Amino acid sequence: MVLTLSPIKYGKLLSKTLPKRIDNDAEFDRFVETMEKISRAIERREATPEEHALHSLLSTLIKEYDDRTQPLPPLDPLRMLRFLMDQRGLRPVDLTPIFGARSIASLVLSGKRGLSKTHICKLAEFFHVSPALFLEGSASAKSRT
């Protein structure tokens, strides 16, 4: 669906909201509140194209601030894999298509076998994440075997 924006209506929304790069928690809270109001209108299918555009913009600004102020700690590939599995309620057997066998999945998850390039690519595709999440430390895991 292509939304056609009215420059005048969108300009009025922007002048009321004054979106910009978020610098503090008060601005963050204000933008979240505005975005939640728009989200409710979207759920009721009452949002205008201009509100959809503003919602998208605020979402980007909020995510950028959150990523900048609350960065995730770096995890080694095995901990990242376990974290992603936990978030999705997956068991080792659910990764059999990625590893080719339950035994290989078990060895990888126990730290007895490192991730191959093929595993990394398949995991990244499966979890819809960057392969880089599984790269750091994968060579050192292989050296333990």
Side-chain angles (χ1 to χ4, degrees), residues 24-89:
N24 56 57
D25 288 345
E27 290 175 346
F28 175 84
D29 292 341
R30 184 171 62 86
F31 287 158
V32 166
E33 183 179 329
T34 301
M35 194 171 118
E36 288 173 348
K37 287 178 186 175
I38 297 171
S39 292
R40 289 190 290 275
I42 290 171
E43 289 172 6
R44 293 188 310 268
R45 300 188 189 275
E46 297 172 355
T48 65
E50 295 77 20
E51 288 171 322
H52 278 275
L54 180 58
H55 186 276
S56 178
L57 175 60
L58 292 176
S59 176
T60 300
L61 294 170
I62 289 166
K63 181 184 181 320
E64 188 275 334
Y65 178 76
D66 199 39
D67 289 348
R68 185 169 27 97
T69 59
Q70 305 291 326
L72 292 175
L75 297 177
D76 66 78
L78 184 53
R79 289 183 66 198
M80 179 57 70
L81 176 56
R82 289 182 186 141
F83 171 78
L84 292 169
M85 289 175 65
D86 183 56
Q87 291 296 304
R88 290 162 177 80

Side-chain angles (χ1 to χ4, degrees), residues 96-134:
T96 301
I98 292 167
F99 293 108
R102 289 173 73 172
S103 59
I104 296 174
S106 178
L107 288 171
V108 168
L109 290 168
S110 68
K112 295 178 182 173
R113 180 175 177 156
L115 294 170
S116 70
K117 288 180 184 178
T118 302
H119 295 153
I120 290 170
C121 291
K122 287 182 177 182
L123 286 167
E125 184 178 333
F126 180 79
F127 287 109
H128 305 286
V129 296
S130 168
L133 291 179
F134 302 109

